C-alpha cells in the first residue's frame, strides 16, 4: 500500500529531524509487522509502505528530490491543495465493498456405502453436500470495509509543517475513510463451514469401485464461478457381513 507522500505516511513534519523520522518509522514498523498480524494479508503491504517511506526520508538526496516533487505538486503552503470535496449525495463511509474474486469450486471425492438392493435396482440418495457455504458476514467477498489504518477513518490526515497543522486527503484511502480488510468471520477465505442439500443418482447394477457424480455439490464457487462436483466411489456392502 504505497503512498506518494512519505511524510504523511510516517506522520512527521517536512522539517523533521532524522532521529524523529527514525523513531516514527520504528513505531510504525513494529505496529505493522506481518508477524504480529498473521491473519491479515494486508499487513505485509503496510510494512513495505512504511519501510519504503523511511528509505526515502533517510537518504538526503532522495529526501531532497521528494521535497521538490511535493512542492511542485502543490502539497505545501503557497499552493496547498485541500482535500477533494465529496460529491453531493455521497459519503466516504458508504463505499461498495470489493467484489469477490472469481474462483471455481473444488471437486471433491467421497466414498459411499450402498446397500445391495439399492446398488442392484438403482435409485436416488439425498444428502448434505459441500464442505462450506458463502460467509454471511461478507457475502463471500472475503473482505470488509474497516477504518483506514493511516487516517483512522477520518478520510484526512493532519500534517505538521513549520509550526502549522495542515489537513489533506488521506493518500491511503483517497479520502474515503474506509479500506478493505480481511473479513474477521471467514479470515478472508470467503467461505465458512456448512453444507447444502444435494442428490446423487445410483444407476441400476452399480458395483464396488463405480464412480457416481453429483454435479455442483462440491466446493462452492466464488464470484459467480461454477461450483465444483462431488465424486462418490461406491462400495457395495456384503449382505452376509455381520452388522
Amino acid at each position: 500500500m504505497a503512498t506518494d507522500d512519505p511524510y504523511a505516511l510516517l506522520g512527521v513534519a517536512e522539517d523533521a529531524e532524522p532521529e524523529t523520522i527514525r523513531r516514527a518509522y520504528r513505531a510504525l514498523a513494529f505496529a505493522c509487522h506481518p508477524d504480529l498480524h498473521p491473519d491479515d494479508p494486508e499487513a505485509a503491504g503496510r510494512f513495505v509502505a512504511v519501510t519504503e517511506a523511511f528509505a526515502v526520508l533517510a537518504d538526503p538526496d532522495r529526501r531532497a528530490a521528494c521535497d521538490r516533487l511535493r512542492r511542485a505538486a502543490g502539497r505545501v503552503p503557497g499552493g496547498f491543495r485541500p482535500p477533494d470535496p465529496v460529491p453531493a449525495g455521497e459519503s466516504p463511509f458508504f463505499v461498495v465493498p470489493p467484489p469477490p474474486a472469481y474462483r471455481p469450486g473444488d471437486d471433491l471425492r467421497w466414498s459411499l456405502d450402498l446397500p445391495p438392493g439399492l446398488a442392484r435396482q438403482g435409485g436416488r440418495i439425498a444428502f448434505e453436500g459441500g464442505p462450506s457455504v458463502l460467509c454471511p458476514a461478507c457475502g463471500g467477498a472475503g473482505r470488509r470495509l474497516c477504518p483506514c489504518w493511516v487516517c483512522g477513518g477520518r478520510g484526512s490526515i493532519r500534517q505538521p509543517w513549520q509550526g502549522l497543522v495542515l489537513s489533506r486527503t488521506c493518500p491511503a484511502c483517497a479520502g474515503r475513510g474506509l479500506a478493505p480488510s480481511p473479513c474477521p468471520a471467514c479470515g478472508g477465505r470467503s467461505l465458512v463451514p456448512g453444507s447444502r442439500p444435494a442428490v446423487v443418482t445410483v444407476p441400476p447394477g452399480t458395483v464396488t469401485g463405480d464412480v457416481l457424480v453429483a454435479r455442483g455439490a462440491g466446493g462452492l464457487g466464488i464470484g459467480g464461478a461454477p461450483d465444483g462436483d462431488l465424486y462418490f466411489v461406491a462400495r457395495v456392502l456384503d449382505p452376509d457381513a455381520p452388522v
Side-chain angles (χ1 to χ4, degrees):
M1 188 184 299
T3 174
D4 59 354
D5 192 342
Y7 291 102
L9 191 52
L10 296 182
V12 297
E14 187 182 43
D15 56 355
E17 297 294 330
E19 183 58 31
T20 300
I21 295 173
R22 189 175 298 107
R23 286 198 302 268
Y25 163 69
R26 287 175 178 171
L28 279 172
F30 178 79
C32 299
H33 201 285
D35 289 348
L36 300 179
H37 308 278
D39 298 326
D40 185 356
E42 300 292 338
R46 293 195 290 264
F47 182 78
V48 170
V50 298
T51 300
E52 290 179 347
F54 175 69
V56 171
L57 299 186
D59 185 314
D61 292 336
R62 295 181 67 185
R63 182 176 180 179
C66 173
D67 291 344
R68 290 193 295 270
L69 289 175
R70 293 175 75 251
R71 291 190 179 92
R75 290 194 173 97
V76 295
F80 176 74
R81 184 181 64 193
D84 297 330
V86 178
E90 296 185 11
S91 168
F93 291 94
F94 292 92
V95 186
V96 178
Y102 185 89
R103 187 172 74 237
D106 296 328
D107 291 337
L108 306 177
R109 191 178 183 89
W110 292 357
S111 60
L112 179 63
D113 291 340
L114 296 175
L118 178 60
R120 183 173 57 254
Q121 300 173 10
R124 292 161 61 87
I125 300 176
F127 64 97
E128 294 292 321
S132 55
V133 295
L134 285 176
C135 174
C138 64
R143 301 160 73 83
R144 297 179 66 180
L145 292 172
C146 299
C148 172
W149 68 284
V150 173
C151 67
R154 294 184 300 272
S156 62
I157 57 175
R158 302 177 65 192
Q159 185 174 351
W161 187 84
Q162 295 186 354
L164 302 176
V165 178
L166 308 178
S167 178
R168 56 166 298 208
T169 301
C170 174
C173 66
R176 296 184 179 91
L178 298 177
S181 181
C183 171
C186 65
R189 294 182 295 273
S190 304
L191 305 175
V192 293
S195 59
R196 310 184 305 280
V199 176
V200 62
T201 299
V202 180
T206 296
V207 298
T208 296
D210 284 353
V211 177
L212 314 178
V213 184
R215 300 294 181 189
L220 200 64
I222 303 299
D227 297 339
D229 297 329
L230 181 53
Y231 293 87
F232 288 102
V233 179
R235 187 181 69 164
V236 180
L237 300 176
D238 185 351
D240 299 325
V243 177

